[in-house]
Amino acid sequence: MEWTGEALLIGVRRHGDTSLIAEAMVAGRGRCLGLVRGGRSPKLAPALQVGNTIQLTWRARLEDHLGTFTVDLMQSRAADLMADRTKLYLTQLVCDHLRLLPERDPHDSLLGQALSLIDHAPDGAALARFELALLDELGFGLDLFSCAATGATTDLTHVSPKTGRAVSRAAAAPYLDRLLPLPSFLHERGNASPDDIRNAFKLTAHFLDRHIWSARQIDHPSVRDTLVDLLSRDPH
């Protein structure tokens, strides 16, 4: 069994004295793992940095085996990431999120969003939309385009923490202490204020924790809180 594809490297871990197991999002193939023999060598180390775009050739005797990767560097991002703390944290978080996806299940739209986030200036609104897309790809998508109580499609201001459905201003009024704020930029066009960014991340964090982190008994990514703080600061 053999294939070759372009990929975003999202994780590595040691295997034995000299090798690594690499984890990558491969266009058309999804999250794939493979053994890189000699992956800890000085020759391969620069290519095997999380956030790099690489070309992988995977080989295995049978399709369900781990297999081995041969790696060629296509785009190194290490220097840019080391020079920009916010971009470094964002890349780490995006890669951590991609590692939640099922193995060998293509998610090319999400991969495209991830690459756009990594290659452009850090953007809190775009990252919040990426987390919403991640929830959707994992089967826990939110319905932010019509009111759960009235069916209205305008003046949507809150989200039910139980159902993940939007609620209009009028319907939300008696229950404000039980609902999550819905920043308007998540369901219609418009700019996002620092408060909007913070509320968007509170919203996505609630559902990521409910459906994924707590459900799988894993900790939320350690860089997320610091990154959210950096991305939601008032520029003035």
Side-chain angles (χ1 to χ4, degrees):
M1 305 296 297
E2 180 177 330
W3 53 256
T4 298
E6 185 175 322
L8 173 67
L9 186 64
I10 61 174
V12 293
R13 64 178 186 267
R14 293 184 177 187
H15 184 81
D17 293 332
T18 62
S19 299
L20 294 172
I21 293 177
E23 191 171 1
M25 281 295 294
V26 185
R29 296 184 179 275
R31 185 173 68 88
C32 299
L33 283 76
L35 177 68
V36 183
R37 301 189 189 280
R40 295 170 61 188
S41 69
K43 179 181 177 181
L44 287 177
L48 293 169
Q49 300 296 315
V50 170
N52 283 350
T53 294
I54 53 180
Q55 181 169 284
L56 295 175
T57 298
W58 176 85
R59 297 182 180 89
R61 191 168 63 85
L62 296 174
E63 187 174 359
D64 59 352
H65 285 182
L66 173 65
T68 60
F69 280 149
T70 302
V71 179
D72 290 305
L73 178 63
M74 297 184 69
Q75 182 179 353
S76 175
R77 297 184 174 91
D80 287 343
L81 297 182
M82 294 307 295
D84 186 334
R85 181 174 62 138
T86 304
K87 201 164 192 176
L88 174 64
Y89 289 168
L90 184 147
T91 300
Q92 290 176 339
L93 180 62
V94 167
C95 290
D96 282 344
H97 281 338
L98 292 173
R99 296 176 72 188
L100 298 171
L101 294 167
E103 192 176 347
R104 301 184 185 185
D105 188 13
H107 293 273
D108 285 358
S109 176
L110 204 60
L111 175 57
Q113 286 183 253
L115 290 169
S116 180
L117 275 166
I118 292 170
D119 286 332
H120 291 85
D123 184 336
L127 180 59
R129 293 190 187 99
F130 174 81
E131 292 191 336
L132 283 177
L134 175 70
L135 284 163
D136 191 51
E137 295 277 332
L138 289 169
F140 306 110
L142 279 59
D143 178 359
L144 305 181
F145 297 95
S146 64
C147 176
T150 67
T153 57
T154 59
D155 204 24
L156 304 174
T157 59
H158 289 78
V159 177
S160 165
K162 293 183 179 179
T163 67
R165 296 191 62 189
V167 184
S168 67
R169 188 183 308 275
Y175 311 104
L176 293 180
D177 59 332
R178 306 180 197 175
L179 301 173
L180 297 164
L182 172 58
S184 60
F185 78 89
L186 290 180
H187 62 91
E188 59 187 38
R189 292 184 178 182
N191 295 325
S193 70
D195 282 344
D196 289 334
I197 298 295
R198 282 188 285 270
N199 284 331
F201 283 121
K202 288 177 183 177
L203 177 66
T204 54
H206 172 82
F207 290 100
L208 285 167
D209 184 65
R210 180 179 182 185
H211 295 302
I212 301 167
W213 299 329
S214 291
R216 299 186 187 181
Q217 297 183 325
I218 57 177
D219 295 330
H220 77 278
S222 59
V223 300
R224 189 179 186 275
D225 292 341
T226 301
L227 178 61
V228 169
D229 180 62
L230 290 169
L231 292 175
S232 59
R233 289 178 180 174
D234 191 330
H236 306 296

